[in-house]
Amino acid sequence: MTTSTQQTNLTVEIPVNENLKDLRVLVLATTFPRWKGDREPAFVFELCRKMAKNVSLWVLVPDAPDAKPYEEIDGVRIIRFPYFFPRSIQTLCYDGGILPKLKSNWLARLQLPFFLASQIFFLWKTARRNKINFIHCHWVIPQGVFVALYNFFTGIPFMLTAHGGDVFSFKNNPFVSRLKRYAVNRAQICTANSKATREMVNNISHQSHIKTIPMGVDTKLFNPKKKNLSLRSNLGNPDLFLLGVGRFAEKKGFSYLIRALPKILKQNPKTKLILIGFGPQEEELKKLAHDLGVLDSVSFPGSKIGIQLAEYFATADIFIGPSIVASSGDTEGLGVVFLEAMASGTAVVASDVGGISDILEDRVNGLMFQQKDPSAIAKKVLHLANNAPLREKLSLNGLQKIKE
């Protein structure tokens, strides 16, 4: 039999009974909503919610303070494993991601070995207790390695999905590279969210079973009809409404966007930049805006989800993604926010790193600039701000790209 594991034409051969309800799937991830309305990215949950209509499905994700250890939502049985005590100080996961936490938080570094031990214990326990016969593992490390070991001892097949940070980071570390190679080699199939991510996975392990499958976007939620002029009015009716969305972490490059703002304001004084998100660099970014004298032109409304986020995307004049290659080697694997902006009919300006070029073609459905260059950002933004026909062209071509 075959069953589709993502929103794609790809099918994966799985040696189980023809009845899909006999397929018992365990999904492993570290990015997952902690509760309804959580600001954590929900792409893994959305995929699971749709899969759960056809198969029996469990999700194993890290615990968090105030989250339920076990709950079921839309047929998805969610198990959150504890990894440190007291529970209230579990801090390694969520609110910015594991890698940024390890760089900036000593308590997160202390919790890492306990997290790894707990994850492999609960993987084994959950899979055996629920008679799992297929595993879908998100991120090559660390959980991809644990699932590969479980496959070695049990023979349970698994699918491995690489998202970017898991393969771009630690690429010069021979030991970590061997662990990545082991995980990829043992997977029945490995998917990557962009050509850039796939190339990096290929550099780790030259395997023919690596497929490129980009993430999707909900066009019922993100579309031009969500434009809300009252939102623009609440911002003071700026002449130019700029938008950035994402975690406030190094690889998102928001500091370079803020540094570009003085040049933009010089030509367009009534510009408003909205940065939606959260993360370890939030206070640093606010301080930078203050020091550059542009704090009055930048707004940090926090994290937004659902219809609120859709309205920001559809109402903005220009969406800017200034992503960079971080010091760890981590960079943008794909960038779902670019898809959401294009689906909303908003012109996009972005840096040419990672998998962004899978989505954007310069001067066709977006404008691209070299990373870490505030002057280049300002130049592209001003060019687009002063060229309404070009904005319209990029918007229409972006919508067509999303439909394709």
Side-chain angles (χ1 to χ4, degrees), residues 310-329:
E311 289 179 350
Y312 273 98
F313 271 117
T315 308
D317 295 314
I318 301 172
F319 175 81
I320 308 170
S323 302
I324 66 169
V325 178
S327 56
S328 65

Side-chain angles (χ1 to χ4, degrees), residues 16-34:
V16 296
N17 190 285
E18 288 290 339
N19 187 350
L20 280 177
K21 286 301 179 183
D22 287 342
L23 186 59
R24 303 174 69 84
V25 179
L26 177 63
V27 177
L28 268 73
T30 51
T31 297
F32 201 84
R34 295 164 291 184

